[in-house]
Amino acid sequence: CDDECFGQLGLEAEFELVGCEQSFRMAMGETQQECEDPMMGGIAGCDFSPAEGPDGPSCVQPPAPMTVPWSKLGPMEDEGKVYSGGLGKRAMKDSRVEYGVWTCIRDWDAEEQRACGARTGELCCYWFDERSRQWHFQGLNSETKLVREEEYEHGLEVERRRLMGHTLRTSPNQLH
């Protein structure tokens, strides 16, 4: 049955996108299959980590590196390519990780973008782990919803204006 068929039957469903760890915790998972196998309630592509300390086993997104140094994030934010903020209620601290801030970034490094599954213009979102001092991929902004659409559009406009100022004249009659 497709969407139209479901509509005719009067069925409606709401879905919430969740990541590896959240799905694993909601299902009270304990095994590798419950993390990684969709037939067992897991998510394909997630990585299982056995119990370490009081927090038990974990299920995490596979690494999708973001190696832009802090010193470049500010200027990239001014260019409309980076968005950042505090996690607020989503902040997390346990024996493995300590997350307090996030950043979403677009169009920075072709290899790193491919690793997070982003196309040109798509935002990859990361949480910063204060313990490892690394950014941990959380998903595309279409999933995480960290950056509001109007903020994203504003960033595109900032970049467009900046690029217009750098366009070379190709003929004496061209106005810039």
Side-chain angles (χ1 to χ4, degrees), residues 57-76:
S58 65
C59 182
V60 297
Q61 291 282 127
M66 195 275 287
T67 58
V68 177
W70 281 96
S71 62
K72 292 196 178 179
L73 289 176
M76 289 179 74

Side-chain angles (χ1 to χ4, degrees), residues 75-153:
M76 289 179 74
E77 192 165 9
D78 294 342
E79 294 171 2
K81 291 186 173 199
V82 169
Y83 308 81
S84 59
L87 286 168
K89 293 181 204 175
R90 294 189 230 185
M92 186 169 107
K93 182 178 182 178
D94 65 23
S95 64
R96 293 181 306 274
V97 296
E98 183 178 341
Y99 296 122
V101 297
W102 61 269
T103 195
C104 294
I105 184 171
R106 67 177 173 84
D107 305 331
W108 77 101
D109 177 274
E111 232 176 272
E112 290 182 7
Q113 284 175 231
R114 274 193 300 280
C116 73
R119 292 183 224 125
T120 301
E122 281 188 297
L123 292 167
C124 290
C125 297
Y126 298 84
W127 290 5
F128 187 72
D129 179 11
E130 297 290 344
R131 294 188 181 178
S132 70
R133 309 297 296 163
Q134 294 179 336
W135 291 100
H136 293 179
F137 178 64
Q138 299 299 310
L140 298 175
N141 190 60
S142 58
E143 302 159 351
T144 65
K145 309 282 189 230
L146 289 166
V147 179
R148 294 187 330 262
E149 184 64 27
E150 52 272 12
E151 290 175 297
Y152 175 74
E153 293 295 330

